Amino acid sequence: MNTTYYRTRLVARAVWIYTILIAFSLVVLGPFLMGTLTSFKDNPLEYPPTLNLPKLGITNMGAAYRLGVAGGGGGFFGELHPGATVPFEVSVFTPKGQEVTPPTVQVLRLQPGAGIGAVRDPVYAADFSEVKDLKAVDTQDAQRPDREGKLVDGTITRYTLNVVYPSLTAQQGEKVRAKTPRTFSEDLQAVVDGQVVKVHLDTPEAQQQRINVPADTVVSLIKKDGQYYLDGPIILDRTPLNVELERGQQLTDSTLPPTKVERFGRANFFNNITPGVMGFTFNNYLRAFRESVDLETGNSIFLRWVGNSFLVAIVKVITSIAFASLAGYAFARLQFPGKNLLFVLVLFTMMVPMQVTFLSNFLLLRDGLWGLSKLFGLPNFFNPWGLVVSGLVGSAQVFLMKQFFESLPKELDEAAAIDGASAFQSFWHVTLPQTLPAIATLAITTFQGSWNDFFWPSVVVQNPATNLTLPVGLANFRQAYAGQGDYGLILAGAVISAIPIILLFLFFQRYFVENSVGSSVKG
């Protein structure tokens, strides 16, 4: 056998190994990657699924930025402000022999979202804006395939139009962003810098539109001579546009790709023509925060779910590190009566499934741990704190720390004792600093377990919705949106829930691997 033969075998072996690893990665990460890509689609149920993602196109993102600026809200998050004029273009193919007819374009009055978003009282862009200046600016001959795929001669006409949102006041002055109070009143008021001020309706248009400005709405005011005048509400969610074509015509191009195409291409719907880059590309992600709001406070419930998950996970990590380290050190280093029996009991609790003990734990939390919850002003522990109380430390964490402490040389403690250190001083100053890899592993696994936990939080925390953790809240998303086929928002929420775990492993995987390798060698 020669050198070439060995090199060929090495290369072949490497190809096989990498092929298997890539295939394994695709199997493991494939669903997550597919879900992530699908979260950027307007129609996540498209079949067959494709990797065509217009929302990630640079040209489309640039157009979204310009439209957001034209709407007055900025190029990143968009919005439609009073006084804005938003230019838009569509190109329409008309077959030869058919009269060239301009499309019918209108701003639609659509309720944003489903679930909690469906019961809100929003501001509709259609009540304040209209389509103007629709005109053909260019026509050229072209060929397009018809429904059967045959090329048909015709012309493509490019139309321009403006979506105009006129100001409701005749006053000129400083523009002020404010919010109407949470309670509706006949006389319009707004909260400016924490102060409730009266808002004047100085034009017939403003007086006519008063009924379309609900409570708890972001508005634009004109400040002049110490008085505030209604400029108009700010459209935060979306400016939907519908382009209706005649039979036989086709939409060939537009400033933004249509969100939905129906009736064989005659109805072309644009969800938001003033999105900004973030509102266009990350629409489903922003919807997760905007559409799930507390009807009483107006705050984002989804953000609260994220905060609850972080609170429970971080507190559990801290308590697990503290208690598991102390208990593990005691089992590994100290001698006391009943030590072995107590450790057997700890191991035994690892064998008992959670489903066996959840009823007794549920009753304990319902009774507030024998009334202890009343000391904190809580009738029971059916809230995120109940999740913390019931998961301060686990037997698996104690076992992990005990095993790691036993792998350290006892001479460390003996040297500390000779120097006069107490048991706790030896633990705190000598032994504990040597356990950083084990603590990192403990923190990662505890955080991951708490963050992804669904069963126990779904039992303990149900109402109100602001008390839910993120996995349980996502289940509510499924109930609210899946029935309408709106899986984009659900997938976006799932991707958001995975980000902390991914970041955790990216930053701390070194400690995790070190401890795993070290434990395997020492064990």
Side-chain angles (χ1 to χ4, degrees):
M1 296 184 182
N2 53 29
T3 307
T4 306
Y5 173 77
Y6 281 111
R7 285 182 178 175
T8 304
R9 293 202 59 178
L10 288 175
V11 172
R13 180 179 298 176
V15 170
W16 272 109
I17 291 174
Y18 278 101
T19 302
I20 293 173
L21 289 176
I22 292 173
F24 183 75
S25 301
L26 290 176
V27 170
V28 174
L29 297 177
F32 175 73
L33 294 177
M34 196 65 190
T36 303
L37 295 176
T38 306
S39 68
F40 290 99
K41 293 183 178 180
D42 289 316
N43 179 22
L45 298 180
E46 68 172 359
Y47 187 82
T50 67
L51 294 179
N52 180 29
L53 301 170
K55 288 181 178 293
L56 298 181
I58 300 299
T59 303
N60 292 331
M61 293 170 70
Y65 181 90
R66 292 190 294 273
L67 290 171
V69 172
F76 288 98
F77 289 96
E79 286 176 358
L80 182 62
H81 287 221
T85 298
V86 182
F88 204 76
E89 289 187 7
V90 294
S91 297
V92 179
F93 174 79
T94 304
K96 187 176 182 181
Q98 182 175 340
E99 183 181 358
V100 176
T101 306
T104 301
V105 185
Q106 60 180 345
V107 181
L108 295 182
R109 195 174 196 273
L110 294 178
Q111 179 80 21
I116 299 175
V119 300
R120 295 166 55 197
D121 192 9
V123 176
Y124 297 97
D127 292 336
F128 299 91
S129 61
E130 58 183 338
V131 176
K132 288 186 175 181
D133 307 325
L134 174 64
K135 60 184 178 182
V137 295
D138 185 22
T139 301
Q140 59 182 358
D141 296 334
Q143 286 185 324
R144 294 282 298 178
D146 60 9
R147 295 180 192 173
E148 299 176 353
K150 297 180 181 178
L151 288 178
V152 177
D153 293 329
T155 58
I156 291 180
T157 306
R158 184 165 62 91
Y159 296 93
T160 62
L161 59 97
N162 291 318
V163 174
V164 180
Y165 181 1
S167 173
L168 296 178
T169 179
Q171 305 295 328
Q172 299 292 326
E174 177 189 359
K175 280 201 171 188
V176 177
R177 189 183 180 104
K179 200 170 187 179
T180 58
R182 299 189 185 282
T183 305
F184 183 85
S185 60
E186 292 294 334
D187 296 329
L188 183 61
Q189 296 177 325
V191 180
V192 180
D193 297 330
Q195 302 293 324
V196 178
V197 299
K198 181 180 179 181
V199 179
H200 297 278
L201 309 176
D202 62 316
T203 64
E205 292 81 6
Q207 296 169 7
Q208 183 180 0
Q209 292 285 14
R210 170 65 188 95
I211 193 64
N212 293 323
V213 184
D216 199 23
T217 298
V218 179
V219 295
S220 173
L221 307 177
I222 296 296
K223 182 180 180 181
K224 183 179 180 181
D225 299 332
Q227 303 293 321
Y228 292 91
Y229 300 88
L230 179 63
D231 189 25
I234 296 175
I235 313 299
L236 301 175
D237 294 326
R238 57 177 175 174
T239 309
L241 194 73
N242 189 59
V243 178
E244 188 85 9
L245 307 180
E246 294 294 328
R247 184 186 299 274
Q249 290 183 324
Q250 300 177 30
L251 184 74
T252 60
D253 195 12
S254 54
T255 306
L256 287 179
T259 307
K260 187 185 299 182
V261 179
E262 296 179 337
R263 296 165 53 195
F264 301 103
R266 291 187 60 190
N268 298 272
F269 174 69
F270 300 85
N271 183 55
N272 187 5
I273 64 166
T274 57
V277 175
M278 301 297 290
F280 176 71
T281 302
F282 298 97
N283 176 46
N284 288 323
Y285 292 83
L286 292 181
R287 288 179 57 208
F289 289 95
R290 289 175 173 174
E291 292 188 9
S292 57
V293 296
D294 190 334
L295 296 178
E296 294 183 359
T297 64
N299 298 327
S300 172
I301 293 180
F302 186 84
L303 190 60
R304 182 65 178 270
W305 295 342
V306 175
N308 289 341
S309 290
F310 267 113
L311 171 68
V312 174
I314 291 175
V315 174
K316 277 189 174 181
V317 167
I318 295 173
T319 56
S320 294
I321 291 175
F323 292 126
S325 299
L326 289 169
Y329 181 81
F331 281 125
R333 287 287 198 263
L334 304 183
Q335 299 298 327
F336 53 90
K339 170 185 169 182
N340 293 333
L341 177 61
L342 192 59
F343 185 65
V344 170
L345 291 177
V346 171
L347 294 179
F348 178 74
T349 60
M350 296 174 60
M351 317 298 175
V352 180
M354 179 186 176
Q355 287 75 7
V356 176
T357 59
F358 93 90
L359 182 57
S360 56
N361 291 336
F362 176 85
L363 295 176
L364 282 174
L365 295 181
R366 185 200 63 180
D367 298 335
L369 289 180
W370 304 284
L372 183 63
S373 62
K374 294 181 180 178
L375 297 177
F376 305 95
L378 301 173
N380 51 52
F381 274 122
F382 286 166
N383 49 54
W385 290 111
L387 301 176
V388 173
V389 170
S390 60
L392 291 176
V393 67
S395 55
Q397 289 95 328
V398 174
F399 180 75
L400 172 69
M401 295 306 297
K402 173 185 177 293
Q403 295 302 104
F404 198 87
F405 279 120
E406 286 184 343
S407 68
L408 298 177
K410 292 184 179 180
E411 288 76 7
L412 293 174
D413 297 277
E414 293 171 355
I418 292 174
D419 291 338
S422 64
F424 182 78
Q425 288 173 327
S426 176
F427 160 76
W428 184 257
H429 295 290
V430 178
T431 312
L432 189 61
Q434 310 301 320
T435 61
L436 185 57
I439 291 176
T441 302
L442 180 63
I444 292 173
T445 54
T446 303
F447 186 92
Q448 182 189 22
S450 175
W451 184 267
N452 293 330
D453 191 14
F454 176 80
F455 175 74
W456 183 236
S458 66
V459 172
V460 174
V461 184
Q462 296 180 352
N463 292 306
T466 52
N467 277 343
L468 301 182
T469 57
L470 189 53
V472 182
L474 289 178
N476 285 358
F477 270 6
R478 184 181 58 82
Q479 297 172 0
Y481 292 92
Q484 304 179 10
D486 192 358
Y487 284 94
L489 184 142
I490 301 173
L491 290 171
V495 172
I496 292 174
S497 70
I499 290 176
I501 299 299
I502 295 173
L503 294 178
L504 193 69
F505 271 95
L506 287 178
F507 286 107
F508 296 102
Q509 63 172 328
R510 180 167 63 90
Y511 298 104
F512 189 82
V513 172
E514 281 181 359
N515 187 51
S516 300
V517 173
S519 299
S520 63
V521 172
K522 294 165 185 171

